[in-house]
Amino acid sequence: MKEKVMEALKQVFYPSKTHSVIKEGIIDDVEVKGSKVLVKIKTEEKNQGVIDMLKRSIPAALKRIEGIEDVELEIEKVVEEKEKVANIRYVIATTSGKGGVGKSTVSVNLAISLAKLGFKTGLLDADIYGPNIPTMMGIEGSPVQVDKEHKDKILPMEKYGVKILSIGNMVPKDAAIIWRGPLIHSAIKQFLEDVTWGDLDFLVVDLPPGTGDAQISLTDATKVSGGIIVITPQHVAMSDAAKANDFFKKLKIPVLGVVENMSYFVCPNCGTKTEIFSHGGGKKFAAENSLPFLGEIPIDLEVREGGDKGTPVVVKNPDSPVSKAFEDAARNIVEKIKVLNS
Ligand SMILES: Nc1ncnc2c1ncn2[C@@H]1O[C@H](COP(=O)(O)OP(=O)(O)OP(=O)(O)O)[C@@H](O)[C@H]1O
Ligand SMILES: [Mg+2]
């Protein structure tokens, strides 16, 4: 008799679909006792109208079988578990009080250095108005793709061992983005939640200059494990760095430390060291504010060229002193974050 019931169920169409309730996979079990059938259904169906239709169509079909008089349905609604697409251990954000000090350059080279140290690393470009990450990572002009396995999610790009997401890969190059705060807010939230980042040890977030919407949105959307202040060494950079530090303090984000960028210049021909923007400002600032000092990055032609050409210096010339400086800073970050979270 059970076979007859199963055969009959194969003829019952699932409402709004072109296949049967069997193919839909909602029939969990069928028990036949004499002239009575119990059909156990497990479904994620949210539409009550569909459930009501099944309550009519299944008994109607089964009662047509000779010898079946009574049909009972037991319907268990399964709550669809939201697929966890991101499992990010540490979100770290680079910021500075003002623009042009090398936040994006530092973010890119640190992210790659972290990946080279064996950490699963992502890089999120949160500079909505001026996304530079696609150029610096050499993925300019490649549009983002929808994740085929999670059709409502974005697939991050991947380059140099780092998963990357930037609005620069979603809008035409050179298009001005004129969004107000709320849109930036929802974009950043989506960049964290609707992207299949997968398991990451670090997500490095490159923030725009200053202390605006993107910064606030990021801290609203997720726990930021640590902030990195990028500073240039000259005296006037101090007050900008102080603003960045104050900002992290207000948002209760622990500061992992200070990176001094454009620290000095070593002449490639004669080896003379020149401190173009003075030197040691970052170290001094860190000491005065009881912050860790993560490292100093020299001014280097390869850094600028690497950024413009999409081949960051830590990829192009991994053994150069500047690449070693980035690697040291990355190691320091790992150490500091472990201490903070221990
Ligand atoms: N250590 C360095 N040596 C040489 N050039 C550098 C160095 N750091 C950054 N630059 C160059 O300086 C310019 C500004 O750097 P970058 O875009 O990283 O700064 P930013 O702080 O992110 O700027 P913004 O505030 O506009 O986001 C870039 O052309 C970059 O290649
Ligand atoms: Mg930048």
Side-chain angles (χ1 to χ4, degrees):
M1 187 55 97
K2 192 168 170 180
E3 290 74 45
K4 277 191 183 166
V5 171
M6 295 309 280
E7 272 311 306
L9 286 172
K10 277 188 198 157
Q11 309 304 319
V12 179
F13 275 87
Y14 192 85
S16 79
K17 301 258 172 86
T18 54
H19 56 243
S20 75
V21 290
I22 297 277
K23 195 150 184 215
E24 180 69 14
I26 59 163
I27 307 296
D28 191 39
D29 197 15
V30 169
E31 287 172 18
V32 185
K33 274 190 195 137
S35 64
K36 198 174 166 188
V37 187
L38 171 65
V39 182
K40 291 186 180 171
I41 291 173
K42 258 191 191 169
T43 176
E44 290 173 0
E45 183 61 64
K46 290 180 196 81
N47 185 344
Q48 189 54 41
V50 170
I51 304 278
D52 290 342
M53 277 199 236
L54 290 170
K55 280 182 181 167
R56 288 192 296 272
S57 59
I58 292 177
L62 299 189
K63 278 181 188 168
R64 264 182 248 131
I65 304 170
E66 223 183 286
I68 298 293
E69 279 162 20
D70 194 10
V71 178
E72 194 188 331
L73 297 189
E74 194 179 283
I75 300 176
E76 185 188 337
K77 282 199 188 172
V78 187
V79 181
E80 187 188 358
E81 221 174 271
K82 216 175 163 221
E83 197 134 14
K84 203 174 178 194
V85 289
N87 190 3
I88 304 167
R89 193 142 179 232
Y90 302 121
V91 174
I92 55 178
T94 52
T95 199
S96 66
K98 68 165 180 176
V101 298
K103 285 175 301 300
S104 303
T105 305
V106 169
S107 303
V108 158
N109 286 287
L110 280 183
I112 299 171
S113 300
L114 285 167
K116 287 210 279 186
L117 290 175
F119 296 100
K120 291 191 201 92
T121 307
L123 176 60
L124 170 60
D125 188 353
D127 194 345
I128 306 285
Y129 296 128
N132 289 140
I133 297 299
T135 306
M136 290 185 172
M137 289 295 271
I139 52 164
E140 203 175 63
S142 326
V144 286
Q145 308 285 327
V146 165
D147 187 339
K148 286 196 181 80
E149 284 169 37
H150 309 273
K151 292 237 160 59
D152 54 341
K153 305 274 189 257
I154 299 168
L155 194 68
M157 301 199 169
E158 208 157 347
K159 189 107 185 244
Y160 309 130
V162 175
K163 289 186 177 172
I164 314 154
L165 190 81
S166 169
I167 190 133
N169 297 100
M170 299 178 194
V171 294
K173 191 177 176 289
D174 299 331
I177 297 169
I178 36 175
W179 286 359
R180 289 189 194 279
L183 259 183
I184 297 206
H185 191 85
S186 52
I188 290 192
K189 200 167 143 54
Q190 275 198 303
F191 289 171
L192 288 162
E193 293 172 5
D194 295 343
V195 175
T196 40
W197 289 109
D199 290 339
L200 291 183
D201 297 306
F202 288 98
L203 179 67
V204 178
V205 183
D206 178 32
L207 287 166
T211 49
D213 290 324
Q215 279 80 352
I216 295 166
S217 303
L218 178 71
T219 43
D220 272 354
T222 188
K223 176 180 179 254
V224 181
S225 314
I228 296 165
I229 296 173
V230 183
I231 182 175
T232 46
Q234 67 273 44
H235 182 70
V236 289
M238 295 287 166
S239 72
D240 299 310
K243 273 184 217 153
N245 188 29
D246 183 51
F247 181 76
F248 280 140
K249 223 185 258 172
K250 282 193 174 125
L251 293 175
K252 299 197 170 54
I253 298 172
V255 177
L256 295 171
V258 178
V259 173
E260 181 176 292
N261 188 31
M262 310 193 193
S263 205
Y264 53 87
F265 174 73
V266 179
C267 171
N269 301 321
C270 63
T272 316
K273 194 169 171 178
T274 315
E275 293 170 353
I276 295 177
F277 293 124
S278 162
H279 177 229
K283 219 173 228 171
K284 188 162 167 261
F285 176 79
E288 280 171 7
N289 291 279
S290 314
L291 298 172
F293 184 66
L294 298 171
E296 44 190 38
I297 314 294
I299 279 203
D300 189 301
L301 182 63
E302 275 190 321
V303 174
R304 203 271 305 144
E305 274 181 355
D308 282 351
K309 290 184 180 157
T311 324
V313 67
V314 293
V315 173
K316 174 94 191 297
N317 194 354
D319 296 322
S320 63
V322 66
S323 294
K324 292 284 173 217
F326 277 120
E327 195 185 307
D328 285 346
R331 279 185 208 279
N332 282 333
I333 287 167
V334 174
E335 211 171 278
K336 299 291 175 261
I337 212 147
K338 276 191 190 149
V339 173
L340 275 175
N341 290 275
S342 60

